[in-house]
Amino acid sequence: MVAPNLNSKDYYQILGCSRNADESALKKAYRKLAVKWHPDKNPDSQEATTNFQKVSEAYATLSDTKKRQMYDQYGEEGVKAHEAGADMPGGGMGGFGGFPGGHGGGMGGMSPEEAQQFFAHAFGGGDPFGGMFGMGGMGGGPGIRFSSSMGGGGDPFGGGGFGGGDPFSAFLGGGGMGGSMRGSGMGGRGMRGHPGMRSSMPSVAKQYDVIPQGTIVSLKGLVNKSNLNGDRGVVKQYISQSKRYVVELEDSDETLSVKPENLLQHVHVRIHDIQSQPELNGETGTIITWCPDKVRYSIYVASLKKFVSLKPCNVVLDSGTVAKVTGVESKPELNGRWGTIKNWVSESNKYDVQLSSNQIIRLKVENMIL
């Protein structure tokens, strides 16, 4: 697969697919790009909105058998004529052939609202931010592929379609994994997918201030490789000398050395103590974005099929999540340190946080951020 070119007007180049790509490859490319550029994942970004429209428009055409045939033979003009014509044979994502202005009309024909509608339709009404990282044995969602060192592999979308699964809810996978979704290769299959290997490995001292190996993350705030911001990957190891993480990118053998501040963990959270919207309290969601300017998380609540923007004091991170201490005025020397959340004390809305093997402190919820 070639790199997507969002500056192109060619639908195949936009998705980063060859002209002979099969339906599975097209779906995979669209899903990855739609997740990366979804406007709710990139608030206040016109670039994201535009790119989301572009990839949705490209896939809406190429996923429809008849429209793809017309596009391959006659280009944009062929699709325009097809959409303006009478006969609209079904295929691909049928039912989306008649966007006002014609989405085949060359970049921009699909409105933001239509792109959102198509996206929801493409993912079968499931939690679009729920299933991206549901790798084998992690809750049954469709998975993404990392290299064989993660023990996974295979077609990330199984047999076909999106299966009505959580196109984004795979950020998390199933329960029992502490705060962060882990790759399947870090579970019962052991190293490189061979059963029994894990039991033969030497024990390693627990590091409470390090994001665990196998945690799924997104890249953010990169300067020299800004084109990778929003891409997903898995933590392979932590290099204590450089204080950086080695991250293997999704669908790639490429690895990057990344500072902690350039990673966003995608974790399950529980909503707590919202006075203005009490109906949200107790709901669980997925952290999609951290907005530092607003000091809020953007959280997708699957049961309500909506996004909410919440302050850290209203978000309870799962036990086992590794987060950073911030805003502690009484002991400023703690700020910037990382620790593992052991439990949440609901009465005081505080965490017990383990910083090291012999140091546990209690902090307000808002003093621990991802």
Side-chain angles (χ1 to χ4, degrees):
M1 182 181 291
V2 298
N5 180 4
L6 292 167
N7 293 319
S8 175
K9 291 186 177 182
D10 182 277
Y11 290 150
Y12 291 100
Q13 292 182 18
I14 289 170
L15 295 178
C17 294
S18 64
R19 300 191 76 84
N20 62 354
D22 61 17
E23 177 63 14
S24 176
L26 293 172
K27 290 173 184 174
K28 182 178 179 180
Y30 171 64
R31 182 173 182 172
K32 181 177 180 180
L33 290 168
V35 169
K36 177 174 182 176
W37 295 109
H38 195 283
D40 288 317
K41 188 173 181 286
N42 302 274
D44 305 320
S45 171
Q46 183 56 49
E47 179 189 22
T49 299
T50 299
N51 287 341
F52 183 69
Q53 289 172 252
K54 287 182 178 180
V55 300
S56 297
E57 183 174 321
Y59 182 62
T61 294
L62 299 182
S63 64
D64 184 294
T65 304
K66 188 65 176 179
K67 293 176 189 173
R68 182 178 182 181
Q69 181 181 0
M70 297 296 291
Y71 182 79
D72 288 346
Q73 289 182 315
Y74 305 109
E76 292 178 10
E77 293 303 316
V79 179
K80 285 181 183 179
H82 174 64
E83 293 198 337
D87 189 21
M88 295 287 289
M93 304 306 300
F96 281 83
F99 288 113
H103 73 256
M107 297 303 98
M110 181 181 281
S111 71
E113 294 76 18
E114 289 161 351
Q116 290 271 22
Q117 183 187 8
F118 176 78
F119 177 77
H121 178 82
F123 291 114
D127 170 7
F129 293 90
M132 289 315 286
F133 296 107
M135 301 175 77
M138 293 305 304
I144 59 171
R145 184 191 70 81
F146 292 95
S147 74
S148 59
S149 62
M150 287 301 297
D155 181 0
F157 295 104
F162 294 116
D166 279 345
F168 289 79
S169 91
F171 276 134
L172 306 192
M177 292 305 297
S180 302
M181 167 58 197
R182 311 284 191 258
S184 61
M186 303 309 298
R189 292 184 56 131
M191 293 293 289
R192 296 188 180 272
H194 296 296
M197 285 294 289
R198 185 177 58 174
S199 61
S200 65
M201 294 178 64
S203 59
V204 179
K206 168 72 174 176
Q207 292 180 282
Y208 296 96
D209 58 346
V210 172
I211 298 172
Q213 191 177 19
T215 298
I216 302 300
V217 295
S218 285
L219 303 178
K220 64 183 181 72
L222 297 176
V223 176
N224 293 333
K225 294 192 175 183
S226 59
N227 61 301
L228 296 179
N229 287 327
D231 281 4
R232 297 170 303 281
V234 63
V235 172
K236 300 292 290 183
Q237 68 180 117
Y238 177 70
I239 310 298
S240 57
Q241 294 88 340
S242 62
K243 296 182 179 181
R244 288 172 175 255
Y245 291 92
V246 176
V247 176
E248 181 180 320
L249 300 184
E250 174 189 353
D251 296 319
S252 170
D253 292 331
E254 181 182 359
T255 60
L256 290 178
S257 177
V258 185
K259 296 178 182 178
E261 56 264 33
N262 296 124
L263 299 178
L264 175 66
Q265 303 171 68
H266 297 287
V267 299
H268 283 307
V269 298
R270 184 186 312 139
I271 298 174
H272 170 70
D273 197 28
I274 303 292
Q275 302 296 324
S276 59
Q277 293 180 280
E279 68 276 8
L280 291 176
N281 294 324
E283 295 284 352
T284 58
T286 305
I287 288 181
I288 303 303
T289 305
W290 165 250
C291 305
D293 295 339
K294 299 178 181 179
V295 196
R296 288 174 177 262
Y297 293 110
S298 180
I299 298 170
Y300 185 76
V301 182
S303 62
L304 303 178
K305 291 183 170 57
K306 65 183 291 186
F307 278 86
V308 292
S309 179
L310 298 178
K311 298 177 181 179
C313 62
N314 298 121
V315 175
V316 179
L317 302 171
D318 276 355
S319 297
T321 302
V322 175
K324 184 171 68 173
V325 181
T326 185
V328 179
E329 296 181 357
S330 60
K331 294 184 177 181
E333 67 274 12
L334 294 175
N335 294 324
R337 295 187 62 181
W338 292 74
T340 299
I341 294 172
K342 303 298 291 182
N343 59 70
W344 172 58
V345 182
S346 59
E347 294 81 6
S348 59
N349 199 26
K350 292 183 177 181
Y351 296 124
D352 286 333
V353 179
Q354 187 149 7
L355 299 178
S356 65
S357 59
N358 57 4
Q359 186 180 14
I360 298 178
I361 60 176
R362 181 163 289 186
L363 293 173
K364 296 178 181 178
V365 166
E366 57 264 36
N367 293 132
M368 295 294 290
I369 63 171
L370 296 176

